[in-house]
Amino acid sequence: MTIVASMQAGQTTVEYVGDGKGKESLEGYWNKFEREELLGIEAISIDMSAAYRQSVLDNVPAALEEAGVRRFHIMQHINKSVNAVRKRRT
């Protein structure tokens, strides 16, 4: 499942739920907006999925420069790298 949520003033609201985890799963969300509205999006936090990044790039190109990646995914990559180095040293 793909979930899009809006976070404002400490409150999270689910705006959209799509089937799957691919680029197509976000198309229904983007289609709700006029082009001017998409250009007004100021910040996006996304999963590190290449499909999600491409969907944002296709629909809100300026927002990708401001896109944040969830801390979980960053730490997951760091932990895998540290573990790989540890395995090589033993």
Side-chain angles (χ1 to χ4, degrees), residues 4-20:
V4 177
S6 173
M7 299 180 343
Q8 296 178 355
Q11 186 172 1
T12 302
T13 304
V14 173
E15 292 188 15
Y16 175 81
V17 177
D19 289 328

Side-chain angles (χ1 to χ4, degrees), residues 3-89:
I3 299 172
V4 177
S6 173
M7 299 180 343
Q8 296 178 355
Q11 186 172 1
T12 302
T13 304
V14 173
E15 292 188 15
Y16 175 81
V17 177
D19 289 328
K21 300 187 303 182
K23 181 181 171 203
E24 302 79 26
S25 66
L26 279 171
E27 292 308 309
Y29 178 71
W30 301 126
N31 291 336
K32 297 182 345 178
F33 299 99
E34 296 293 329
R35 187 73 183 150
E36 296 77 27
E37 292 174 300
L38 291 172
L39 294 173
I41 295 175
E42 296 178 11
I44 294 178
S45 175
I46 60 173
D47 185 291
M48 288 181 72
S49 158
Y52 290 158
R53 289 182 56 82
Q54 188 62 51
S55 183
V56 171
L57 184 61
D58 290 349
N59 292 282
V60 194
L64 196 56
E65 295 173 8
E66 300 296 328
V69 178
R70 291 178 34 202
R71 185 183 333 171
F72 167 81
H73 292 97
I74 294 170
M75 291 308 298
Q76 184 179 40
H77 283 286
I78 291 171
N79 287 334
K80 283 181 182 178
S81 297
V82 168
N83 197 35
V85 169
R86 180 191 57 80
K87 285 180 179 180
R88 281 185 278 187
R89 292 185 173 238

